[in-house]
Amino acid sequence: TTMLHSGDYTVEDIADLFRQRWQVEIDIRSLKTHLKMEHLRCQSPEMVRKEIYCHMLAYNLVRRVLVESAMIFDKLPRQLSFKGAVQALNAFMSVMAARGPNIEQHYQCMLLSVSENEIGDRPNRIEPRKIKRRPKSYTYLNEPRSIARKRAG
């Protein structure tokens, strides 16, 4: 820590700050894995920025649904599963896009579904920092796929 006056902060205060920092790690993981932002597909800097903005917009919309569901069903937003919310949004997407006469009723059902996906309270959880994916032994495709197919065939 960079706290200079050790007498001003208790061990519990520092542990609480560490838990809050860990939440940031979990939020970044949610962005990367649940919203499929692990690999950006664009190549130009401008398009990469747009791709990141789109992911951030989607992330904030999911968080907004989590907050609304938590408020209605008397829970804390951090008690609800981000991935569960993404799955509920995907499940209700076609019903919501149809914009039928019962759209409000469907929206409330979606919020109920989101509220039912709670996560466990794990304040002192430890996660090892390891790479899960195994590297592939293939080279990069640096030419159009049609040319590579002709060369392979």
Side-chain angles (χ1 to χ4, degrees):
T1 180
T2 57
M3 297 176 185
L4 300 177
H5 304 288
S6 62
D8 295 345
Y9 306 100
T10 65
V11 172
E12 291 80 19
D13 291 337
I14 294 172
D16 187 50
L17 284 173
F18 182 78
R19 283 187 198 99
Q20 290 178 31
R21 185 188 109 5
W22 184 249
Q23 282 302 134
V24 172
E25 297 283 339
I26 291 172
D27 291 343
I28 291 170
R29 183 189 67 188
S30 295
L31 252 174
K32 289 167 62 177
T33 57
H34 306 314
L35 294 180
K36 298 182 179 31
M37 193 178 156
E38 291 172 309
H39 304 287
L40 299 175
R41 286 153 184 82
C42 296
Q43 294 180 351
S44 70
E46 180 183 344
M47 291 306 291
V48 168
R49 269 188 229 100
K50 286 181 181 181
E51 190 174 357
I52 291 171
Y53 292 154
C54 286
H55 279 93
M56 294 301 294
L57 178 62
Y59 176 81
N60 286 328
L61 290 172
V62 173
R63 281 283 170 211
R64 172 70 174 107
V65 168
L66 282 166
V67 168
E68 189 170 351
S69 178
M71 288 173 54
I72 290 172
F73 297 101
D74 197 31
K75 296 180 180 183
L76 295 173
R78 291 279 182 203
Q79 289 177 305
L80 303 178
S81 167
F82 184 87
K83 184 174 184 173
V86 170
Q87 289 173 338
L89 284 164
N90 286 332
F92 281 86
M93 190 180 308
S94 61
V95 175
M96 301 298 275
R99 302 191 62 81
N102 299 331
I103 191 166
E104 184 60 35
Q105 201 172 15
H106 292 303
Y107 186 69
Q108 293 302 319
C109 286
M110 183 192 66
L111 292 177
L112 174 63
S113 177
V114 169
S115 74
E116 290 172 347
N117 288 306
E118 290 188 45
I119 57 172
D121 183 25
R122 302 169 286 194
N124 296 317
R125 180 176 164 194
I126 296 172
E127 288 287 335
R129 293 183 184 266
K130 303 271 182 176
I131 296 174
K132 190 172 180 180
R133 285 192 177 191
R134 309 257 186 306
K136 307 289 189 270
S137 60
Y138 300 109
T139 59
Y140 290 109
L141 181 64
N142 293 323
E143 60 189 357
R145 193 171 299 277
S146 59
I147 294 172
R149 278 192 195 117
K150 286 178 186 174
R151 188 181 319 206

